[in-house]
Amino acid sequence: MTSAMDTRTPEPQAIGNPITRSAIFMVLTLAPGSDAASQVRGWCGDIAALTRSVGKRVPDGNLSCICGFGSSAWDALFGNPRPAALHPFREFGVAGRQAISTPGDILLHIRAEQMDLCFELATQLMAALGDAVVVVDEVQGFRYFDMRSIIGFVDGTENPVGRKIGDFTLVGDEDQAFAAGSYVLVQKYLHKMDAWNALTVEAQERVIGRTKLADIELDDAVKPSCSHSSLTTITKDGKEVKILRDNMPFGKPGAGEFGTYFIGYARSPEPIELMLENMFVGKPVGNYDRLLDFSTAVTGGLFFVPSADLLEELADREPEQASVTP
Ligand code: HEM
């Protein structure tokens, strides 16, 4: 956690924790019925203690768990008040090149230096949830050489650091009841590695907008406006707006599966959605991200991550305050 985060109250979840070697991403849907909802509410108060219990066993393991809730799940579980900018995942793009929305009520982003810690915490969290949820997606991610994505380029370089992490990812005065919360968008991508590997390194570099070996940004004179870097660099009122990414490679070589689990945190969904629009629709329209010629998004979800303090409080929220949106 950065010092800037420490000065904030309430305490955020572990969004600013350093990038780890291993991660598990789980997307769950709520089982129907009020029993399931009350089970999940109670479980919100157990997450921190379970994370402490498992994490204590490997002091250098950096175990953390971040928990977020989708828009309709928020209404069903906690009712009002609700986070101001929380809404269902917005789809972008055209058939064949689309950021699709897939079911998801709860997101778990479990990180540690070693997979056994992630695995054990996921096991404990799922045991505590019992049949109150259905697991709709589960991905084990690993760190790949030199922090590279599975397509061979270093990933995460332009992430904010230090105080900027909190500035770019944590809700502030704009929504005081949800201060120190965050919005997180996830997408599971599968890559066409044969086609990608058939490109020359120079052609790949023009797709990403950076050099492959040294990870240096291409000069503006040679960097295409459709490069991934160009389309995901955004500004508001003349200032660059960043998001915090902790993407992880995953896959099954024997099955020909090569993937990137994209995860981006921001203090509002807006910048992440603008990046998606630029990538999938193009800027201007049609000038889309050529990385998408080699990558298909097979899932998509938007979640709100309450502060750690609010997460504990939600466990005690009176069920009658919760309401299902029609
Ligand atoms: C297909 C999956 C993706 C892969 C393999 C990928 C990979 C990369 C790589 C290699 C870089 C350059 C190094 C860096 O600064 O991290 C990068 C930059 C970046 N990516 Fe992605 N990315 C993917 C999807 C996305 C998505 C969906 C978004 C946003 C919605 C996004 C946002 C960004 C941003 C903001 C940067 C930094 C741009 C800059 O400031 O230069 N990426 N990505």
Side-chain angles (χ1 to χ4, degrees), residues 149 151 153-159 187 189 191 208 210 215 217 228-229 232-233 240 242-243 245 247 260 262 272 275-276 279-280 291 295:
S149 62
I151 57 165
F153 282 73
V154 175
D155 196 1
T157 314
E158 293 299 338
N159 266 335
Q187 287 181 299
Y189 283 92
H191 302 292
I208 298 296
R210 304 182 74 91
D215 183 31
E217 189 177 351
H228 183 60
S229 151
T232 55
T233 301
E240 187 173 352
K242 292 197 177 232
I243 63 171
R245 294 164 289 129
N247 301 352
T260 299
F262 168 82
I272 322 182
M275 290 172 188
L276 281 184
M279 287 175 66
F280 284 80
L291 184 53
S295 318

Side-chain angles (χ1 to χ4, degrees), residues 81-105:
R82 74 194 311 284
L86 183 59
H87 54 249
F89 183 95
R90 289 189 179 140
E91 297 191 328
F92 293 96
V94 292
R97 189 180 70 242
Q98 221 180 357
I100 56 162
S101 169
T102 50
D105 289 330

Side-chain angles (χ1 to χ4, degrees), residues 144-157 196 200-213 215:
Y144 195 52
F145 306 99
D146 322 325
M147 319 275 288
R148 290 175 191 271
S149 62
I150 207 90
I151 57 165
F153 282 73
V154 175
D155 196 1
T157 314
W196 176 250
T200 61
V201 167
E202 290 74 18
Q204 291 181 349
E205 290 177 337
R206 286 193 295 274
V207 170
I208 298 296
R210 304 182 74 91
T211 62
K212 191 168 185 182
L213 181 64
D215 183 31

